[in-house]
């Protein structure tokens, strides 16, 4: 007869709540990795002035010089607004890449917790705190602050929920 906390093989049994958290984290890490990589390439393209070139091409295709001037003025206004918010596409690219790579470290921590290793909780916590700090570090300003604060809500919630399950890990 087996104990309720162990499986038939004698290994400790993973609680259902921890299993659900890990599955959600596996999905989140996959999405975060994809988002980080795609965000990097998108921000790099924007940093190289592709938006201005695209608008220029659209106005040329329309064949209207007034429309071209209007679009260029509009893009200048967008650039001014981006600067006022402290948004720099190069910094955004670096932020996205760093966050994407940190998702791999988060994934390692989740996998360790899946295997009921307490060390995974510490890896998960440290990498998520670094993930949340990336916008502050790379972007700064109002945009970095807002992204950092809003981006920390989910990880902090999951850290607390995983913390409730540390007692099941060795």
């Amino acid at each position: 007869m087996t104990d309720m906390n162990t499986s038939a093989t004698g290994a400790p049994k993973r609680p259902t709540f921890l299993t659900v958290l890990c599955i959600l984290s596996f999905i989140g890490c996959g999405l975060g990795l994809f988002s980080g990589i795609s965000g990097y390439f998108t921000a790099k393209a924007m940093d190289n002035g592709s938006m201005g070139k695209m608008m220029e091409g659209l106005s040329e295709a329309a064949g209207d010089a007034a429309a071209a001037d209007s679009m260029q003025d509009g893009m200048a206004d967008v650039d001014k607004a981006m600067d006022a918010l402290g948004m720099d596409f190069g910094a955004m690219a670096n932020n996205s890449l760093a966050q994407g790579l940190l998702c791999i470290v988060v994934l390692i921590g989740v996998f360790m917790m899946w295997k009921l290793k307490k060390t995974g909780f510490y890896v998960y916590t440290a990498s998520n705190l670094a993930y949340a700090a990336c916008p502050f570090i790379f972007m700064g300003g109002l945009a970095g602050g807002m992204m950092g604060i809003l981006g920390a809500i989910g990880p902090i919630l999951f850290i607390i929920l995983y913390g409730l399950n540390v007692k099941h890990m060795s």
Side-chain angles (χ1 to χ4, degrees):
M1 183 178 245
T2 60
D3 183 8
M4 296 257 314
N5 295 328
T6 59
S7 65
T9 61
K13 184 179 177 196
R14 185 181 330 101
T16 304
F17 184 52
L18 181 59
T19 301
V20 170
L21 284 175
C22 288
I23 290 171
L24 290 173
S25 294
F26 286 137
I27 294 168
C29 287
L31 292 173
L33 182 60
F34 175 76
S35 174
I37 292 170
S38 63
Y40 171 78
F41 287 112
T42 301
K44 274 297 193 191
M46 300 293 280
D47 192 32
N48 293 334
S50 66
M51 270 305 268
K53 291 176 189 172
M54 183 177 74
M55 290 298 183
E56 199 174 288
L58 287 173
S59 61
E60 285 177 12
D64 187 358
D69 289 341
S70 175
M71 285 185 183
Q72 286 177 344
D73 290 344
M75 284 307 295
D77 291 342
V78 169
D79 285 341
K80 286 178 188 174
M82 298 281 282
D83 288 340
L85 289 172
M87 295 180 75
D88 171 26
F89 287 118
M92 289 172 72
N94 293 336
N95 177 62
S96 292
L97 183 62
Q99 287 184 321
L101 294 174
L102 278 166
C103 282
I104 295 170
V105 182
V106 171
L107 187 63
I108 292 168
V110 173
F111 185 73
M112 291 170 76
M113 287 188 287
W114 180 267
K115 296 288 188 180
L116 298 175
K117 303 290 181 200
K118 194 179 289 191
T119 307
F121 174 73
Y122 302 116
V123 170
Y124 179 86
T125 300
S127 54
N128 264 308
L129 293 176
Y131 181 94
C134 280
F136 292 108
I137 295 167
F138 289 103
M139 297 173 56
L142 178 62
M146 290 303 294
M147 288 173 66
I149 290 168
L150 293 175
I153 294 170
I156 289 172
L157 175 65
F158 268 69
I159 289 168
I160 292 168
L161 294 174
Y162 277 120
L164 297 173
N165 287 282
V166 170
K167 62 187 172 206
H168 302 291
M169 301 175 202
S170 58

